[in-house]
Every structure is written in structure tokens, then in C-alpha cells.
Amino acid sequence: MGIIKSIGILTSGGDAPGMNAAIRSVTRSAIYNGLKVFGIYRGYKGLVTDEIVEFKSQNVSNIIQMGGTILKTARCKEFTTPEGRAQAFENMKRHGIDALVVIGGDGSLTGARIFAQEYDIPCIGLPGTIDNDLYGTDTTIGYDTALNTILDAVDKIRDTATSHERLFFVEVMGRDAGFLALNGAIAAGAEAAIIPEFSTEVDQLEEFIEHGFRKSKSSSIVLVAESELTGGAMHYAERVKNEYPQYDVRVTILGHLQRGGRPTAHDRIIASRMGVASIQALLEGQRNVMIGIENNKIVYVPFTKAIKNDKPIDKELVSVLHELSI
Ligand code: F6P
């Protein structure tokens, strides 16, 4: 691959607040550094079906404050086939696109890794997912906004929990990761978090009830991470109804409202930093890495590392939640 003169940018997988700030940053930084930019619509789908438009600086004006993604997003079946990727490569060549910046989660970066390997295309990933489940970065674009959304919701649920002296199970997203549940619980002052990372080790419901539910409090809020491993909030509510019928239990599933809304300052800042870093990385000759932020410093994480490894839960956070929920 020769000198990079032109890049394509796409968002893929679940949308996340801050993706627009990232699109703006990648576009402006590329133009600032003399590169041509193409916006690719609907993720990898647009690469296959040729929904590719040249972007100028004005195309990304007035979007930093918006949730969702102006490029739209999709989970694309065609791109998982060799034929689909061949078509995508043809379209890239026709537009003269030399490199790709992909904003998305685990599945999106997996697609980038395969495509990059097959066609020797420089690809840079930006971690865009509310789940915060990518290895090698302290935080992902959208995670902070989703946490704040959870916080607002739980603050409201608390009014009813307290007034009616109820036990609430609030289900949050995260796919197979418990970051939103655990940090959401700490921030919202919830009594416990039930997360997939511990689902095989202990009975988290029993632990929570034994730890002191109703010993000193008349209401409780437990955040449950969605996941086949936890079984979700409904599963625990059913169990409580059967095993501890004396408790007045309710369930709230927060669902997709966690994915929307104006990005927080934190998400806008990391998206802006990561976007600039993605262009720097390409110009330095970096290939097939995800841009991460560790200890507030930009890092390059090889795709294979970012995707394959499970990001560990910090045990200190678990202790904090445990100690403060007495
Ligand atoms: O990866 C982001 C996420 O919101 C997960 O937390 C959730 O499991 C999934 O996407 C939901 O996907 P969809 O919007 O396709 O239902």
C-alpha cells in the first residue's frame, strides 16, 4: 500500500452517543492534513452497495451535540461473505479510497480486521459502543453518556422504590459485559449489581439478600446486566417472587433509551481525541489498530488484542459497591 491520499469513514453496529463527534473529528482532521474524505452510509452495507459520498468540512458542521450517527449504521450480512467484501473493495477502488476508519464495537472491528487482511487495506478502528467491552481502552465512545442516562432513570425509579418500599430490578444493556451495570450501580447508589462476569462464581441474588437487603433499608435497587448468563431482570424478579414472597418486587428494563441522547462532554472529548489520533496513526503508517485511551493517553491496540480479549472487571469497583450498600 502506497501513500494515503484519501480515507473512507463509516459507523457500524449499534449506534452510540459521540459517534457524530468522532465522524466530525476524523473528517476535519483528515482534511486538515490534506486528505480527501468519503462518508460511507449504513456501515459496511454502504461499502458493498456503494453509498459513498465525498465529505467536506461543512458536512460535519453542527453534529457534535447530536446522538446517533449521521452516517447511519447497520449490521451487514453481505460483508461477512467473501463476495460481499470483494464488492466492497471494488467500490473503494472506484472512489480511490486508500484507507478506512471504522467506528463501532467488537463485531465492527472484527469485520475491519478480516477486510484489512484480505485486501491489504490500512484500517483504523475507533471504539464506539455503550458497552465499554473493548480490551485495551479504559473507555469507549458512548459509554459515559449511557451511564448518565442510567443514572437519570434510576434516580427517578428510586422515588417509587422508596415511597412504596419496593425491591426494583433495573435491567441495563451491555451485551455480555457488566460495566454499565456495575458503574451504573455505584453512581446511582444502588444496593447491588448482577453482572455476567460473576454469574458462574456465585449466586448473586442470594449474596445480595444475605448481605443485608431489608436489614437496614426498606427499599432496594439492583442493576442487572442483560445477558444470557445473568438471565436478565425478569429472571431475578421471578426468583424473588418464588423464593422470597414477602418482598414487593418490580422490574424496569431500560432498553434502547440507553443508546440515545446528546453525548456528554466526556464522550465528545474522547471522540474528538480518538478521531484526530486515527488520522495521525494512518499518517505514521499504523495499520489495523484500534485507537484506545489508557490512563488518559492515546494508545494503539492491535485489532486482534482489542477483539479477542475479555476486558476484566476491576475488583476495586465491586468492593466499593459492596461497602457502600450497607
Ligand atoms: O452493543 C450495543 C448494544 O446496545 C448492546 O448493549 C445490546 O445488547 C445490543 O446492542 C442491542 O442490539 P440491537 O439494537 O440490535 O437490538
Side-chain angles (χ1 to χ4, degrees):
M1 202 84 208
I3 295 170
I4 294 169
K5 295 197 189 108
S6 152
I7 65 147
I9 172 171
L10 63 86
T11 49
S12 159
D15 64 324
M19 277 184 164
N20 283 325
I23 294 168
R24 170 181 179 269
S25 170
V26 173
T27 302
R28 295 239 164 121
S29 175
I31 293 170
Y32 179 86
N33 284 285
L35 306 179
K36 240 180 166 183
V37 182
F38 289 89
I40 300 160
Y41 283 85
R42 297 181 175 79
Y44 293 115
K45 195 161 188 257
L47 206 53
V48 177
T49 57
D50 197 11
E51 291 184 81
I52 302 173
V53 174
E54 189 177 347
F55 266 23
K56 301 288 182 199
S57 184
Q58 296 86 319
N59 288 84
V60 294
S61 293
N62 215 359
I63 65 166
I64 194 168
Q65 76 284 11
M66 288 161 51
T69 158
I70 60 156
L71 284 175
K72 310 208 180 291
T73 182
R75 305 192 202 272
C76 173
K77 278 220 180 87
E78 295 97 307
F79 197 71
T80 60
T81 67
E83 296 76 26
R85 291 193 295 275
Q87 186 60 54
F89 181 63
E90 275 311 306
N91 290 334
M92 268 186 79
K93 269 202 321 199
R94 185 145 19 86
H95 288 279
I97 299 172
D98 304 316
L100 276 185
V101 177
V102 173
I103 307 167
D106 199 76
S108 312
L109 299 193
T110 303
R113 186 185 62 79
I114 295 168
F115 193 47
Q117 230 170 27
E118 249 172 17
Y119 290 99
D120 191 23
I121 295 163
C123 283
I124 302 290
L126 298 191
T129 166
I130 63 163
D131 301 336
N132 196 31
D133 58 349
L134 286 162
Y135 186 88
T137 187
D138 292 339
T139 180
T140 55
I141 298 165
Y143 172 60
D144 184 64
T145 307
L147 263 184
N148 278 285
T149 301
I150 291 169
L151 199 59
D152 283 347
V154 175
D155 284 352
K156 288 182 176 138
I157 290 167
R158 180 183 292 283
D159 291 344
T160 302
T162 313
S163 305
H164 287 262
E165 302 188 293
R166 282 177 178 163
L167 164 59
F168 264 88
F169 289 104
V170 180
E171 184 174 301
V172 301
M173 280 187 165
R175 203 174 291 272
D176 290 319
F179 298 99
L180 285 171
L182 180 58
N183 278 311
I186 293 174
E191 274 62 40
I194 295 180
I195 59 175
E197 286 82 350
F198 297 151
S199 55
T200 50
E201 286 173 31
V202 283
D203 182 336
Q204 296 177 84
L205 177 68
E206 221 171 85
E207 205 181 46
F208 155 66
I209 302 262
E210 272 166 26
H211 178 58
F213 171 55
R214 295 252 164 145
K215 283 200 185 113
S216 61
K217 294 180 180 184
S218 63
S219 67
S220 272
I221 297 174
V222 177
L223 263 62
V224 183
E226 63 162 9
S227 155
E228 276 177 18
L229 291 172
T230 63
M234 294 299 277
H235 166 72
Y236 287 96
E238 276 308 309
R239 273 192 62 190
V240 169
K241 276 183 197 158
N242 294 328
E243 296 169 37
Y244 309 94
Q246 67 274 32
Y247 299 142
D248 188 12
V249 62
R250 291 290 188 278
V251 168
T252 304
I253 297 174
L254 295 185
H256 285 83
L257 71 84
Q258 296 161 93
R259 285 243 294 265
R262 295 169 65 228
T264 57
H266 183 266
D267 275 333
R268 297 183 199 195
I269 292 166
I270 64 160
S272 300
R273 290 177 66 191
M274 287 174 170
V276 168
S278 69
I279 300 302
Q280 277 314 311
L282 281 173
L283 296 177
E284 280 169 22
Q286 289 287 339
R287 299 290 180 260
N288 313 330
V289 294
M290 179 191 83
I291 305 295
I293 293 186
E294 264 188 336
N295 301 320
N296 205 25
K297 290 270 172 295
I298 291 286
V299 289
Y300 301 145
V301 190
F303 281 157
T304 42
K305 236 178 143 182
I307 297 159
K308 286 258 167 65
N309 291 300
D310 280 338
K311 187 160 158 180
I313 286 281
D314 186 345
K315 290 269 163 66
E316 187 233 343
L317 297 173
V318 179
S319 307
V320 167
L321 178 62
H322 193 71
E323 277 190 32
L324 302 184
S325 64
I326 52 170

